Amino acid sequence: MFLEKFFSLKENGTNVRTELVAGITTFFTMVYIIIVNPALLGSIGIPFEQVFMATVIAAVTGTLIMGLFAKFPIAIAPGMGLNAYFASVVGAHGLSYQTVFGTVFVAGLLFLLISVTSLRQLIVEAIPNSLKYGITSGIGLFIAFIGLKNSGIVVPNEANFITLGDLHEPVTILSIFGLFFTLILMARNVKGAIFIGMIVTAVIGYFTGLLNFEKQILSMPPVPVFFDLDIAGVFTNGLYSVVFAFLLVTIFDTTGTLIGVTEQAGLTKNGKIPRVRQAFLGDAAATTVGAMFGTSPSTAYIESSTGVAAGGRTGLTAVVVAILFALSIFFSPLIAAIASLAAITAPVLIIVGCFMMEGLAKIDWKKFDEAFPAFAIILTMPLTSSISTGIAIGFITYPLMKLFSGYGKKVHPIIYIFGFIFMIQLVFFPAH
């Protein structure tokens, strides 16, 4: 069969059915972006329909490249945090969104240039194992926290910031049910347990009135048009730091997610990620194309780990996600309803967070100069709600710890360089 040979399904211990389920699982845990992104960017005056189509186009472009060329089960779409930063730049500097889209386009072109060279691959391979495992585990805690927060299991509290939520809330009750139902299926080794849990939770949500569908489930998609980019405004306004911020955050958001998901899926070989250059091209192309149609920078999605947990191991998972994104332009009312009920996706994020903690056992906790930078990443990611900030803290603390413990020469020079860059970025233009 063509799909089995092209994606090497047998060699990766998977099959078409498993990849299909994994793709569907990933899609439904990240599909919220095609609703949230247009709403967020629409708040600064960008037409909702324009951003909706741009979001889908960017997701399909990047995810297909990831699936067909890198052959990883990783999906790409406009990044949360990056879109918030985009909106804040428009508001804080009083710029037109056409000008800020120009910065995204320029950052995307630089991104493509870096991605076709060996620089990004060198960066990934230079990262020490303790930081890689710290990144994986930090992402796990981050997405588990998102699941807890979205479900209402934990809520903000003035005294200590976070506390247990109201367990009588209907959405919270349904989330807890979905969590334990899925855990039971997994304990019984039921294949596709995560996706089955999502479907059962959705059905219960529908019959209890928590999941509401509009009378119109299908709708014709808006016509996509090229956006009016103000590239000249990037230079006349001296927006170099904004371009650098977009570039830096996108690189390390994707790098962190790529490390985390490939490590979770067992796709790394001797600490290295195969076909890493092709993988990097996915988010670079999506960022550039997305800017042309009207959306903020794209990045690899941590929700891809839900598909890996469902058994996805090859690019076929990503291709399924891309196809579903393409079809979603006709089902926007239906998708909006599903994405709006946190109880469907929150249990998945919590469970996957557990899977991603496996790397903790591989960190040498007896070597403090190896352990603390990993600990700092794990601690920082969920508390700041930022993958890139967690990575930044790791890059800063690791070379410092090694330098003062007498092992500074063993640190790759690129780690020192980026540690310095990250200090500048965090102090002068944090992106989150």
Side-chain angles (χ1 to χ4, degrees), residues 55 65 106 149 166 179 225 256 274-275 293 352 368 373 400 432:
T55 302
I65 292 174
V106 173
K149 184 173 62 174
D166 184 357
L179 174 62
V225 294
R275 302 179 302 280
F293 284 95
V352 171
F368 194 69
L400 286 176
H432 293 283

Side-chain angles (χ1 to χ4, degrees), residues 217-290:
I217 294 179
L218 288 168
S219 64
M220 289 302 296
V223 178
V225 294
F226 284 108
F227 208 81
D228 183 18
L229 299 174
D230 181 16
I231 297 176
V234 177
F235 303 98
T236 57
N237 289 283
L239 300 177
Y240 308 111
S241 64
V242 177
V243 171
F244 182 71
F246 277 135
L247 181 64
L248 196 65
V249 174
T250 307
I251 286 176
F252 284 97
D253 264 1
T254 294
T255 300
T257 301
L258 188 63
I259 291 171
V261 176
T262 54
E263 179 72 28
Q264 179 197 359
L267 298 174
T268 55
K269 297 179 180 180
N270 299 320
K272 296 183 179 181
I273 303 172
R275 302 179 302 280
V276 70
R277 190 174 298 179
Q278 294 92 320
F280 290 150
L281 279 173
D283 54 335
T287 294
T288 307
V289 172

Side-chain angles (χ1 to χ4, degrees), residues 185-235:
L185 293 179
M186 297 184 71
R188 300 295 301 171
N189 295 317
V190 176
K191 290 186 176 181
I194 291 177
F195 182 63
I196 294 172
M198 292 173 67
I199 295 298
V200 171
T201 304
V203 170
I204 294 174
Y206 176 76
F207 284 107
T208 56
L210 295 176
L211 180 59
N212 299 307
F213 297 104
E214 300 287 341
K215 292 181 180 179
Q216 184 183 5
I217 294 179
L218 288 168
S219 64
M220 289 302 296
V223 178
V225 294
F226 284 108
F227 208 81
D228 183 18
L229 299 174
D230 181 16
I231 297 176
V234 177
F235 303 98

Side-chain angles (χ1 to χ4, degrees), residues 39 55 70 83 115 143 233 243 245 247 251 273 293 295 302 336 338 372 385:
T55 302
N83 51 11
S115 296
I143 64 174
V243 171
L247 181 64
I251 286 176
I273 303 172
F293 284 95
T295 189
I302 55 175
I338 294 175
F372 185 81
S385 296

